[in-house]
Amino acid sequence: MKKVLKGIAAALLVAAAFTGCQKKSASAGSEGKIKLELYYYKQENQEGLKNIVKAFEKANPGVTIDMLIIPNDADSAMSARAAQGDLPDILQMQSYSRIKEYASKGFLLDLSKEEAMNRVLPSSLPAVSWNGKQYAVPMDYAGIGIIYNKDIFEKLGIEPPSTYRELEKVCRTLKENDIVPFSALLKENWSVGHFITMVHTALLAEKGIDAEKFVADMNAGKASYGDVDTSKLFSILDFYRANMNSNAAEMGGGEQQQSFAKGESAMMVQGLWAYVDALKLNPNLNAGFIPFPVYNDAKMNTFYSDVDSTFGVSSQSSKEKQEMAVKFVNWLTSAEGQKLWMDEYKLIPPFKGVDVSAFGGPYVDLMASVEAKGSAPWAFSQYPTDVFEDSCKNGAQQYMFQRKAAADVIKGIDDQWAASVNK
């Protein structure tokens, strides 16, 4: 029944999107202007992106950009639109798998020779590449780890933990002082999906397995998601759940940020996008950022960081719209676009010469740690899209709700991965 309802909801969403597009096409023709549609999925700081779009429209008076947000599980809507030859003109996409999927199906323009790509750090190019060409512009370098309240830590004489054993001690101290260690986010599945893949990727290193090779071996049917120490993987999930708010199952992103911003909880496992929203709730928030310490060897604990979102241009748009959409992504990487991206959206662009010192605190912590110790790639971005969206996110959430056993989560990921690469 849930699948039927989900399908109906997706169909209604697609129908609404189609109707909107048809209306926009008609109005575009009558006004004699270029009207683009920009799809985005990052629901945090929507006002920041809107302000960036307004700045581009102001600089290009004949252009308007309508924004379409589908924050969660947008695959069905985008796939349906692609089948109809009606993808949005500008597409915000996750790196790696989504780029490869859309590029291999011919949905994206090749941006390899655009001026924007000359500004991108070479280390970020694999995230937007397929068959040696670049099909999107990487727009933010992000890390997932522990954002912690410095004032609470200092008040209680707590040092930021650099090992798993130290993290356990920190949580005990916080509980003894009636402070929730981790602000929860279990109502939505995406955050715990990040968490299980973050810990899993870290545990690959313990086995001497390269993350990229692991994905390739999974695609070839030569590996299992259970090739890591699964007892450690799920014991860390158990530890995480045991140190959350008592109403964790009812807490979404907004509730998580409120709990952290109010000082009710001392830490949250998130990316800096959540810190931006928490800062809006508490402008005096004094926070730091550290890797989630999976190991008791501090040197092995690195940030889970990589290129997050990207922008590409639909090959299904008209020539006129494609040219203007390309102009938009090139403008995003210009000095003006970069400044707006950082000022308004509070994200780090992976471009040459970017200075994050003005951002302070957590941003500096992230980049300093990555420079000193390196980082673990966002392996989930290289998984088949449906594996991460369904088996990882839902499997981890169901495990945290104690509705699914660890072995069943692993089997679900393995089975769906095999089905995905063989379909």
Side-chain angles (χ1 to χ4, degrees):
M1 186 64 174
K2 289 182 179 178
K3 289 183 178 179
V4 172
L5 291 174
K6 185 177 180 181
I8 292 172
L12 290 172
L13 180 60
V14 174
F18 286 162
T19 301
C21 286
Q22 290 165 358
K23 289 178 180 177
K24 283 183 286 182
S25 296
S27 63
S30 61
E31 295 171 6
K33 295 182 178 180
I34 299 177
K35 183 171 283 192
L36 303 178
E37 183 181 30
L38 184 155
Y39 153 69
Y40 66 111
Y41 68 88
K42 290 177 77 71
Q43 56 190 314
E44 59 276 3
N45 197 20
Q46 296 182 49
E47 288 304 312
L49 184 57
K50 289 176 183 176
N51 290 337
I52 291 169
V53 166
K54 287 177 184 175
F56 180 77
E57 290 175 333
K58 184 177 180 180
N60 297 271
V63 180
T64 57
I65 300 178
D66 289 338
M67 299 173 65
L68 168 69
I69 181 170
I70 308 176
N72 293 308
D73 300 327
D75 290 354
S76 56
M78 288 297 108
S79 295
R81 291 191 57 164
Q84 296 291 323
D86 189 37
L87 278 172
D89 308 294
I90 304 167
L91 298 155
Q92 185 180 58
M93 300 168 288
Q94 288 188 330
S95 55
Y96 293 104
S97 288
R98 186 56 55 83
I99 304 298
K100 292 176 181 177
E101 176 190 347
Y102 280 14
S104 66
K105 292 178 179 177
F107 295 160
L108 300 175
L109 285 189
D110 175 6
L111 302 179
S112 303
K113 297 181 180 179
E114 294 299 327
E115 59 183 296
M117 305 314 298
N118 294 326
R119 302 182 181 119
V120 174
L121 290 169
S123 60
S124 295
L125 293 177
V128 294
S129 298
W130 180 72
N131 275 2
K133 296 179 180 179
Q134 288 73 54
Y135 289 87
V137 175
M139 278 309 298
D140 66 277
Y141 184 81
I144 298 173
I146 296 176
I147 303 172
Y148 68 98
N149 187 313
K150 284 186 173 182
D151 291 337
I152 291 176
F153 273 51
E154 289 173 8
K155 181 180 179 180
L156 298 179
I158 301 173
E159 290 294 326
S162 60
T163 68
Y164 187 67
R165 191 175 293 115
E166 290 175 1
L167 179 61
E168 290 177 311
K169 184 178 179 181
V170 164
C171 289
R172 286 195 298 270
T173 301
L174 290 167
K175 282 183 169 181
E176 289 168 359
N177 287 274
D178 298 321
I179 298 172
V180 177
F182 291 110
S183 186
L185 201 175
L186 290 184
K187 183 178 180 181
E188 301 160 13
N189 66 5
W190 60 271
S191 183
V192 73
H194 287 160
F195 189 86
I196 191 173
T197 58
M198 173 184 69
V199 177
H200 185 275
T201 303
L203 292 176
L204 287 173
E206 183 179 49
K207 299 287 186 179
I209 303 172
D210 176 76
E212 187 173 349
K213 184 178 186 304
F214 169 76
V215 172
D217 286 346
M218 286 292 289
N219 289 338
K222 298 178 181 178
S224 165
Y225 211 73
D227 285 347
V228 299
D229 184 342
T230 56
S231 63
K232 186 180 290 187
L233 172 63
F234 287 97
S235 69
I236 292 175
L237 265 72
D238 292 339
F239 167 78
Y240 186 38
R241 178 181 56 221
N243 286 282
M244 287 182 170
N245 308 71
S246 58
N247 63 333
E250 302 167 14
M251 293 180 66
E255 290 80 12
Q256 181 192 51
Q257 291 143 25
Q258 286 175 16
S259 176
F260 182 70
K262 290 189 299 184
E264 174 185 288
S265 54
M267 301 178 285
M268 60 178 177
V269 179
Q270 269 287 15
L272 290 176
W273 54 81
Y275 165 70
V276 172
D277 285 341
L279 200 60
K280 291 176 184 176
L281 297 169
N282 178 8
N284 296 317
L285 185 62
N286 181 20
F289 199 24
I290 57 173
F292 187 95
V294 171
Y295 296 105
N296 285 320
D297 180 352
K299 296 189 296 294
M300 295 183 68
N301 295 317
T302 61
F303 271 109
Y304 194 42
S305 56
D306 210 330
V307 173
D308 185 6
S309 67
T310 72
F311 281 104
V313 175
S314 170
S315 63
Q316 297 180 340
S317 301
S318 68
K319 186 71 173 177
E320 184 182 40
K321 289 189 173 186
Q322 286 179 7
E323 290 175 354
M324 188 54 65
V326 168
K327 184 176 183 179
F328 175 78
V329 296
N330 278 325
W331 174 83
L332 275 179
T333 69
S334 67
E336 179 187 3
Q338 287 186 43
K339 186 176 187 306
L340 282 168
W341 183 260
M342 296 177 73
D343 290 349
E344 295 285 350
Y345 218 20
K346 306 300 182 188
L347 293 173
I348 304 170
F351 303 145
K352 300 169 184 175
V354 166
D355 180 9
V356 300
S357 59
F359 280 10
Y363 293 89
V364 175
D365 291 345
L366 170 64
M367 301 311 289
S369 177
V370 171
E371 183 176 348
K373 299 199 297 182
S375 63
W378 279 11
F380 71 83
S381 293
Q382 301 177 49
Y383 297 0
T385 302
D386 54 355
V387 172
F388 177 62
E389 294 294 336
D390 187 6
S391 299
C392 291
K393 288 183 178 180
N394 291 334
Q397 184 186 47
Q398 290 302 303
Y399 178 81
M400 297 293 270
F401 288 159
Q402 297 181 298
R403 297 172 186 166
K404 200 166 191 175
D408 292 331
V409 175
I410 296 296
K411 185 177 186 302
I413 294 173
D414 282 350
D415 289 348
Q416 187 163 13
W417 202 308
S420 179
V421 297
N422 290 320
K423 66 182 178 183

